C-alpha cells in the first residue's frame, strides 16, 4: 500500500519564480486530459487484431503496469517538488551527464514519434468522413498546420485543457452509451468480450496487446514538469496522479467492453477509425460526422500538445548547450522557438513514412520504457538521499515490479520497432558527442560535464 510518510504533508517554503496556482482538482483534470483521448481513439482496432474480443483485458493489464511507474513518479515528485522530470531524476541519481541527456532525449524522441503516429491517425477513417485524401499526404499537411499554429504562439491554460478533456471524454461516453442502447434492443454479442483471436495463446495475446494498450496510458509522466506550480504538491500530487490514471483506466475498460459487444474483432482490426464503427453499427441517429469531428479534435489536440512539448524541450536543451545552439532561435515578434519547431516537425514528417500508427505507437512505448526504467531505478538509488520534509513513499516492491514489467514489454517489441528506436537514440548520442567535441575545441566548459 502506498502511503505518505508521517508528519506534515506540506513542502518546505522554497522560493520559485513560478506561481503555485494548480490545485489538486486542476491537476487531476490536467493529467486525465493528458492520458485520455488520442490513443484509445486510434488503437482499439489494433488491440482487437492482437487479442480478439477481450479488448478490456490488455487495457486492464496496461493500467496496472502504468500504475507501478506512476507510483515512482509520485515519490520522486513529492520528494523533489522542484524537480523537472525524468532527466532531472536521472541526474540526481546517477550523476552521469550522458545518462541524463539520453533520458531527456528519449522523452523528446518519444514525443516526436507520437506526433507522427497521431498525424497518421488523424488522416485515417475519421478524416475520410469529410474528405478523401491519401493518408500520408494528409498527415504531412496536418503536421505542417500544427507547426504553423505552434510557431504563431499558443497560450495553454487549465481552462482550455478542461474544455478539450470534456470533448474527448464525451466521445468515449457516447460509445459506452451506444453500446448500452444496442444491448437494450437485444442486439450485440456480450460473449465476445471473453473471446480471443483464433490461433493465439491468450496469455501471449494479452501481453502483446498490452504493449499497444500501454500507449493509451502514457502522458501521466509529463505532470512532473508542473510540480513547482502545484499548491501543497506533496499532499495533492499522488492523489491526483493515481486517481486520474484509475479514472482513465475505468473509462478505457468500459470502452473496450462496449466496442467488443457491438462490433466484431475483425471489423475493428480492419478500421483506422474503430470507434466510428460502433457509431455506424449502433445506427441510433447519432451523426457519424459529429463523432468523427470529436475524434479528430481529440487526436489533433494530442498531436498539438505533443509538438508544443517536443519543440520547447528541444529549445530548452539547445539553450542549455545540450543540443546545437541553432535550435534555440526564436521568432522576434512571436517569441516562439521556430528553429526547434521546424526541426521536430521535419523529424515527425520523416517518421510518418516509416510505419503505421501501431508501429509508431510501439516505438513511443519502447522509448518511454527507457525513461521509465531510469525513473524506477532512480527511486531505489535516491532512497539514500534524505530530502527535506515528508513525502509520498512507495513500497520497494513497486519500482522493482515496474522495472520487470518494462523489461517484459520491451521483449515483446518487433525488430522493426527496435531498429526505429535505436536509430533515434543513436542520433541523440551523436548530437551529444558533437556538442561535447565542439565545446572542448572552443575551450569552454560543457554544459553536460
Amino acid at each position: 500500500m502506498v502511503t505518505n510518510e508521517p508528519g506534515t504533508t506540506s513542502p518546505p517554503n522554497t522560493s520559485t519564480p513560478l506561481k503555485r496556482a494548480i490545485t489538486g482538482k486542476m491537476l487531476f483534470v490536467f493529467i486525465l486530459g493528458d492520458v485520455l483521448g488520442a490513443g484509445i481513439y486510434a488503437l482499439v482496432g489494433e488491440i482487437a487484431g492482437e487479442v480478439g474480443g477481450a479488448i478490456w483485458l490488455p487495457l486492464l493489464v496496461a493500467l496496472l503496469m502504468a500504475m507501478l511507474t506512476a507510483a515512482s513518479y509520485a515519490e520522486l515528485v513529492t520528494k523533489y517538488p522542484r524537480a523537472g522530470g525524468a532527466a532531472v531524476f536521472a541526474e540526481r541519481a546517477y550523476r552521469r551527464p550522458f545518462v541524463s541527456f539520453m533520458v531527456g532525449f528519449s522523452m523528446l524522441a518519444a514525443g516526436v514519434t507520437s506526433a507522427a503516429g497521431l498525424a497518421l491517425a488523424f488522416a485515417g477513417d475519421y478524416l475520410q468522413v469529410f474528405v478523401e485524401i491519401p493518408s500520408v499526404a494528409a498527415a504531412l499537411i496536418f503536421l505542417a498546420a500544427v507547426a504553423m499554429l505552434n510557431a504563431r504562439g499558443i497560450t495553454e491554460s487549465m481552462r482550455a485543457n478542461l474544455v478539450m478533456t470534456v470533448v474527448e471524454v464525451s466521445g468515449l461516453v457516447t460509445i459506452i452509451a451506444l453500446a448500452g442502447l444496442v444491448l437494450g434492443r437485444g442486439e450485440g454479442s456480450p460473449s465476445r468480450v471473453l473471446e480471443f483471436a483464433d490461433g493465439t495463446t491468450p496469455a501471449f495475446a494479452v501481453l502483446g496487446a498490452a504493449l499497444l494498450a500501454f500507449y493509451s496510458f502514457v502522458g501521466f509522466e509529463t505532470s512532473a514538469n508542473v510540480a513547482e506550480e502545484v499548491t501543497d504538491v506533496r499532499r495533492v500530487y499522488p492523489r491526483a496522479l493515481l486517481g486520474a490514471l484509475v479514472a482513465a483506466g475505468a473509462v478505457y475498460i468500459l470502452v473496450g467492453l462496449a466496442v467488443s459487444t457491438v462490433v466484431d474483432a475483425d471489423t475493428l482490426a480492419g478500421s483506422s477509425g474503430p470507434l466510428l464503427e460502433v457509431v455506424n453499427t449502433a445506427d441510433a441517429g447519432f451523426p457519424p460526422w459529429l463523432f468523427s469531428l470529436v475524434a479528430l479534435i481529440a487526436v489533433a489536440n494530442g498531436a498539438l500538445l505533443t509538438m508544443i512539448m517536443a519543440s520547447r524541450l528541444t529549445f530548452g536543451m539547445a539553450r542549455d548547450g545540450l543540443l546545437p545552439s541553432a535550435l534555440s532561435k526564436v521568432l522576434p515578434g512571436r517569441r516562439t522557438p521556430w528553429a526547434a519547431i521546424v526541426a521536430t516537425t521535419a523529424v515527425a514528417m520523416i517518421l510518418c513514412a516509416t510505419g503505421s500508427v501501431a508501429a509508431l505507437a510501439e516505438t513511443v512505448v519502447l522509448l518511454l520504457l527507457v525513461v521509465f526504467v531510469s525513473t524506477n531505478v532512480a527511486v531505489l538509488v535516491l532512497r539514500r538521499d534524505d530530502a527535506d520534509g515528508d513525502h509520498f513513499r512507495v513500497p520497494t516492491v513497486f519500482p522493482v515490479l515496474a522495472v520487470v514489467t518494462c523489461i517484459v514489454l520491451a521483449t515483446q517489441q518487433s525488430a522493426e520497432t527496435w531498429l526505429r528506436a535505436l536509430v533515434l537514440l543513436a542520433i541523440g548520442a551523436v548530437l551529444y558527442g558533437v556538442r561535447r567535441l565542439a565545446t572542448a575545441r572552443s575551450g569552454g566548459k560543457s554544459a553536460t560535464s
Side-chain angles (χ1 to χ4, degrees), residues 26 57 77 102 139 180 227 229 254 274 309 325 333 336 345 351 379 404 428:
M26 292 167 68
L57 189 52
V77 169
M102 290 306 295
E229 299 168 83
L254 287 174
M309 179 278 292
S325 58
T336 51
T345 301
L351 287 168
V379 170
V404 172

Side-chain angles (χ1 to χ4, degrees), residues 34 59 89 95 101 128 164 173 176 190 226 265 286 292 296 326 342 366 384 391 434 449:
D34 242 354
L59 287 167
F89 301 149
R95 306 296 180 184
F101 171 85
Q128 302 303 320
M164 296 308 301
V173 171
I176 297 169
V226 299
F286 190 92
S292 294
L296 288 175
V342 170
L366 183 55
R384 65 193 179 197
H391 60 86
V434 169
S449 60

Side-chain angles (χ1 to χ4, degrees), residues 27-188:
L27 182 62
F28 173 88
V29 173
F30 174 83
I31 298 171
L32 185 65
D34 242 354
V35 174
L36 281 178
I40 197 71
Y41 278 95
L43 291 176
V44 164
E46 301 287 350
I47 295 172
E50 291 277 346
V51 76
I55 297 171
W56 63 275
L57 189 52
L59 287 167
L60 176 60
V61 172
L63 169 63
L64 296 176
M65 291 178 172
M67 291 284 287
L68 291 173
T69 294
S72 291
Y73 271 89
E75 174 164 336
L76 290 174
V77 169
T78 56
K79 189 174 185 178
Y80 307 107
R82 290 174 58 86
V88 176
F89 301 149
E91 175 61 28
R92 284 182 177 272
Y94 313 125
R95 306 296 180 184
R96 301 289 182 185
F98 178 70
V99 174
S100 57
F101 171 85
M102 290 306 295
V103 169
F105 190 83
S106 294
M107 282 289 297
L108 172 58
V112 176
T113 307
S114 180
L118 292 175
L120 288 176
F122 183 92
D125 287 348
Y126 295 125
L127 180 63
Q128 302 303 320
V129 170
F130 300 98
V131 59
E132 292 186 7
I133 182 172
S135 59
V136 174
L140 296 179
I141 294 171
F142 170 73
L143 285 172
V146 168
M148 287 188 287
L149 285 172
N150 197 355
R152 181 176 176 82
I154 300 172
T155 302
E156 297 299 328
S157 68
M158 290 299 160
R159 181 175 299 176
N161 178 70
L162 175 61
V163 172
M164 296 308 301
T165 301
V166 169
V167 172
E168 293 169 355
V169 173
S170 68
L172 300 178
V173 171
T174 297
I175 293 300
I176 297 169
L178 288 176
L181 183 62
V182 169
L183 287 175
R185 297 197 306 237
E187 302 172 2

Side-chain angles (χ1 to χ4, degrees), residues 117-444:
L118 292 175
L120 288 176
F122 183 92
D125 287 348
Y126 295 125
L127 180 63
Q128 302 303 320
V129 170
F130 300 98
V131 59
E132 292 186 7
I133 182 172
S135 59
V136 174
L140 296 179
I141 294 171
F142 170 73
L143 285 172
V146 168
M148 287 188 287
L149 285 172
N150 197 355
R152 181 176 176 82
I154 300 172
T155 302
E156 297 299 328
S157 68
M158 290 299 160
R159 181 175 299 176
N161 178 70
L162 175 61
V163 172
M164 296 308 301
T165 301
V166 169
V167 172
E168 293 169 355
V169 173
S170 68
L172 300 178
V173 171
T174 297
I175 293 300
I176 297 169
L178 288 176
L181 183 62
V182 169
L183 287 175
R185 297 197 306 237
E187 302 172 2
S189 180
S191 64
R192 276 199 294 257
V193 302
L194 298 177
E195 294 177 356
F196 293 90
D198 294 336
T200 61
T201 302
F204 290 111
V206 169
L207 187 58
L211 180 64
L212 285 169
F214 195 80
Y215 177 75
S216 298
F217 289 98
V218 300
F220 68 85
E221 68 282 352
T222 62
S223 62
N225 297 319
V226 299
E228 287 190 57
E229 299 168 83
V230 177
T231 59
D232 200 5
V233 62
R234 286 179 169 158
R235 182 178 65 85
V236 306
Y237 184 85
R239 297 179 183 179
L241 175 61
L242 301 177
L245 271 177
V246 169
V251 173
Y252 283 166
I253 291 169
L254 287 174
V255 169
L257 292 169
V259 296
S260 293
T261 298
V262 177
V263 184
D264 65 89
D266 290 339
T267 301
L268 291 170
S271 174
S272 59
L275 299 189
L276 186 59
E277 299 294 339
V278 177
V279 176
N280 291 329
T281 302
D283 193 22
F286 190 92
W289 67 265
L290 180 58
F291 185 82
S292 294
L293 181 61
V294 170
L296 288 175
I297 290 173
V299 174
N301 184 56
L304 180 58
L305 292 177
T306 298
M307 288 304 286
I308 290 172
M309 179 278 292
S311 61
R312 269 55 175 186
L313 179 56
T314 299
F315 167 79
M317 293 177 74
R319 182 184 57 186
D320 294 340
L322 301 173
L323 289 174
S325 58
L327 295 173
S328 63
K329 294 180 179 180
V330 300
L331 285 173
R334 297 289 179 180
R335 307 297 297 172
T336 51
W338 71 266
I341 291 170
V342 170
T344 52
T345 301
V347 175
M349 286 180 169
I350 293 171
L351 287 168
C352 277
T354 68
S356 64
V357 175
L360 293 173
E362 289 177 353
T363 306
V364 172
V365 170
L366 183 55
L367 291 166
L368 287 179
L369 289 178
V370 174
V371 178
F372 292 164
V373 166
S374 171
T375 300
N376 285 301
V377 173
V379 170
L380 302 175
V381 173
L382 291 171
R383 289 281 170 88
R384 65 193 179 197
D385 182 17
D386 294 328
D388 294 333
D390 298 320
H391 60 86
F392 184 87
R393 184 182 174 96
V394 63
T396 302
V397 68
F398 277 45
V400 172
L401 287 175
V403 170
V404 172
T405 60
C406 288
I407 293 173
V408 170
L409 285 176
T411 63
Q412 301 302 304
Q413 299 278 9
S414 66
E416 175 192 348
T417 301
W418 274 100
L419 178 60
R420 187 183 294 105
L422 289 175
V423 167
L424 290 170
L425 293 178
I427 292 172
V430 169
L431 289 173
Y432 178 88
V434 169
R435 191 60 183 170
R436 286 292 296 268
L437 182 61
T439 302
R441 286 182 174 177
S442 67

